[in-house]
Amino acid sequence: MLIRFDSKVGTFVTFGDIGVKLLQMTGHSGDVPGAILGADVAGALARLEAALKDVPPAAEPPEDDDGPVRPEREISFRQRAWPLLDLLTRAAKKPCDVMWAEEPPDSLRV
């Protein structure tokens, strides 16, 4: 499942499990679909920022005997949270509502 977050200030799509966990960190149930009213966005943003402080940073890639190995770096949870942090920050300035719903898989075909 994919989740589309939408607001007058922007839109993005993320994996469902990541989106649900982020929503729960804002103080919401994680139910899809849902919304945060403009008046409540600043509080949701503050709760998300506070919760992310407890998330450990991504692990460093392992080193080889010949020097550092350059595998593809794992995308940390903090990095995956950035689009929602950005959207909530911009929505709090307006203020405007932020909505989310399941994104149909075939809508992303190129």
Side-chain angles (χ1 to χ4, degrees):
M1 170 177 74
L2 299 172
I3 298 176
R4 174 184 289 272
F5 288 86
D6 196 20
S7 178
K8 289 181 181 178
V9 295
T11 299
F12 76 96
V13 176
T14 190
F15 294 108
D17 57 336
I18 301 294
V20 167
K21 187 168 183 180
L22 289 169
L23 287 168
Q24 291 169 340
M25 293 170 93
T26 67
H28 286 269
S29 66
D31 290 344
V32 178
I36 302 172
L37 298 177
D40 300 325
V41 170
L45 174 60
R47 286 186 294 276
L48 178 59
E49 288 173 331
L52 285 170
K53 288 180 181 177
D54 295 333
V55 174
E60 289 296 316
E63 289 197 14
D64 193 344
D65 293 338
D66 299 329
V69 175
R70 302 261 181 201
E72 290 185 25
R73 291 194 137 201
E74 181 179 324
I75 299 172
S76 73
F77 188 78
R78 289 180 185 187
Q79 289 170 311
R80 292 183 188 275
W82 188 87
L84 183 57
L85 285 167
D86 181 57
L87 184 69
L88 292 175
T89 299
R90 290 185 287 129
K93 289 178 183 176
K94 290 288 180 189
C96 59
D97 302 344
V98 175
M99 298 154 284
W100 57 89
E102 186 173 343
E103 178 73 7
D106 60 343
S107 68
L108 299 177
R109 289 191 183 163
V110 181

